[in-house]
Amino acid sequence: MILEAPPLGQLVVALSWRCDMSCRHCCISATDEAEAGELTAEELAAWLPAVSGQVRFVCFSGGEPTLAFDRLLEGIRACASANLPTTLVTHGRWMAEADGPERLRALREAGLRWLTMSHDEYHAPFWPKDGVVESLRRSRAAGVSAWIKLVRGPRYDEGWRDEFLAAGAIGVSEQDLYEVGRAELVRLAGTSHEALSSCPSLLSPMLAPDGDVFACCTSGSLRATHWLGNARERPLSSILADRQRRLLLVAEAALGPGGLADLVDLRGGSTNLCKLCSQLMGSAERVEKIEAALTRPEVRREIVGRNLLWTHGLTRDLTALLGEVEKPC
């Protein structure tokens, strides 16, 4: 039975790990300084148009991607040349600065139509909610739609969603904390085991600042299973094509870390999605058991069934989102 992978949703491009905030829940553990050997404008211009048929859009991230502003513009222009939509994940503080409107115009002219701003109790010490509202106002005035991403914490405020929507956000998403990176030091009750039935993050491979490509943005420590290759050594388009044939990743995306844990009878594992993935994939013995279980016909049938339903849902949701992006503000 052939297991076909769902289509990839986005390619995350981390321009740099540098960030001018130090939020204690950061799953990347961003740094203060740029590092040598980061992706160049020339590399972005050559690589990104070539993957336009493999991903639905490109998301520029980091760190804080606007700290590499010139390279960010070149990356957006490269995607625009191939009719590949782009977004970026940012804290948004720069929008309210004196040159914020000018920088927003430059991003819009390069081809950016929407972005995601992160805000929660962990970002608030560096950029309070009122500042986010001002950034939303400026983004909307520049013709760039803004989505807000919230992380649930002990002081999570249910009223934030309505406030940001009223201020002009086109949508608000909420997620649990990823217990990786700096966030390993934050102790919270994780996602329920039952909620780990799939892992959409595995449809969003990440291109790191040094050219390494990983299965998702939080799997940098899982080189044995989630490292896909280096785009400086072989074409990025080839790396993404090979990812679609990796049975272990196809299975984890469909069944989730919780489903894989059930296959190897792992009891007492973490109930946090990323932490449980690390417990599974960081063990060569468990990976071997999982791969053996994936040869069973009943397991393969379940993966095929979930992928059929999931692909339909992802296609519908992504089409709606991309359609929303093209609506005038």
Side-chain angles (χ1 to χ4, degrees):
M1 183 181 298
I2 298 175
L3 297 182
E4 293 188 4
L8 298 175
Q10 65 176 340
L11 172 68
V12 177
V13 178
L15 295 175
S16 171
W17 296 137
R18 184 185 173 202
C19 188
D20 51 358
M21 293 185 181
S22 55
C23 307
R24 70 189 188 98
H25 74 321
C26 180
C27 65
I28 300 298
S29 294
T31 62
D32 294 331
E33 301 293 335
E35 298 179 359
E38 292 180 342
L39 298 171
T40 67
E42 292 75 18
E43 288 170 332
L44 295 171
W47 298 347
L48 297 182
V51 303
S52 61
Q54 296 172 288
V55 297
R56 298 294 294 271
F57 61 95
V58 169
C59 174
F60 292 96
S61 182
E64 170 53 46
T66 61
L67 295 179
F69 196 74
D70 290 342
R71 285 187 290 140
L72 174 61
L73 286 177
E74 288 304 313
I76 293 172
R77 292 188 186 111
C79 292
S81 71
N83 295 316
L84 183 59
T86 51
T87 183
L88 66 91
V89 177
T90 175
H91 54 52
R93 185 169 62 185
W94 55 274
M95 297 184 209
E97 295 174 353
D99 64 347
E102 180 182 349
R103 298 177 86 188
L104 278 164
R105 281 195 298 274
L107 291 169
R108 180 70 166 77
E109 290 171 1
L112 187 75
R113 294 296 179 268
W114 104 97
L115 56 81
T116 295
M117 275 194 288
S118 301
H119 184 74
D120 40 58
E121 65 193 69
Y122 306 104
H123 284 84
F126 305 95
W127 189 226
K129 182 185 65 179
D130 290 346
V132 177
V133 170
E134 174 61 16
S135 293
L136 276 171
R137 187 187 68 77
R138 291 196 176 191
S139 177
R140 187 175 179 83
V144 179
S145 299
W147 188 283
I148 300 292
K149 181 177 70 174
L150 302 170
V151 170
R152 301 182 188 93
R155 292 182 295 278
Y156 177 74
D157 189 336
E158 296 288 348
W160 287 342
R161 170 184 286 273
D162 291 339
E163 289 187 59
F164 289 138
L165 289 173
I170 62 169
V172 178
S173 62
E174 302 158 298
Q175 68 180 50
D176 292 312
L177 185 80
Y178 293 156
E179 285 188 21
V180 293
R182 189 180 297 133
E184 283 189 302
L185 302 178
V186 180
R187 300 303 176 194
L188 292 176
T191 314
S192 70
H193 189 77
E194 291 75 19
L196 304 181
S197 58
S198 63
C199 185
S201 294
L202 285 175
L203 298 186
S204 300
M206 180 189 71
L207 173 63
D210 62 357
D212 275 341
V213 185
F214 293 93
C216 70
C217 64
T218 62
S219 60
S221 64
L222 301 174
R223 292 190 71 88
T225 55
H226 286 53
W227 180 74
L228 305 178
N230 188 288
R232 285 172 171 155
E233 298 172 357
R234 51 192 292 248
L236 177 60
S237 57
S238 175
I239 292 173
L240 296 184
D242 286 349
R243 178 262 175 255
Q244 295 297 80
R245 294 187 285 270
R246 286 207 181 188
L247 178 57
L248 184 65
L249 297 179
V250 173
E252 186 179 15
L255 303 178
L260 297 188
D262 290 339
L263 290 181
V264 296
D265 199 26
L266 175 63
R267 298 291 179 246
S270 175
T271 57
N272 183 277
L273 186 147
C274 289
K275 194 70 172 180
L276 181 56
C277 174
S278 180
Q279 290 176 347
L280 290 167
M281 301 303 170
S283 166
E285 180 182 357
R286 287 173 179 162
V287 170
E288 185 177 352
K289 289 182 178 179
I290 291 169
E291 290 177 333
L294 296 180
T295 65
R296 301 194 324 241
E298 69 273 15
V299 175
R300 293 193 167 221
R301 281 195 294 270
E302 182 176 1
I303 295 171
V304 169
R306 291 199 185 197
N307 279 345
L308 287 172
L309 293 173
W310 197 17
T311 299
H312 172 74
L314 283 170
T315 301
R316 179 198 60 215
D317 294 343
L318 281 169
T319 300
L321 176 58
L322 292 173
E324 179 69 30
V325 171
E326 295 305 319
K327 292 181 181 178
C329 293

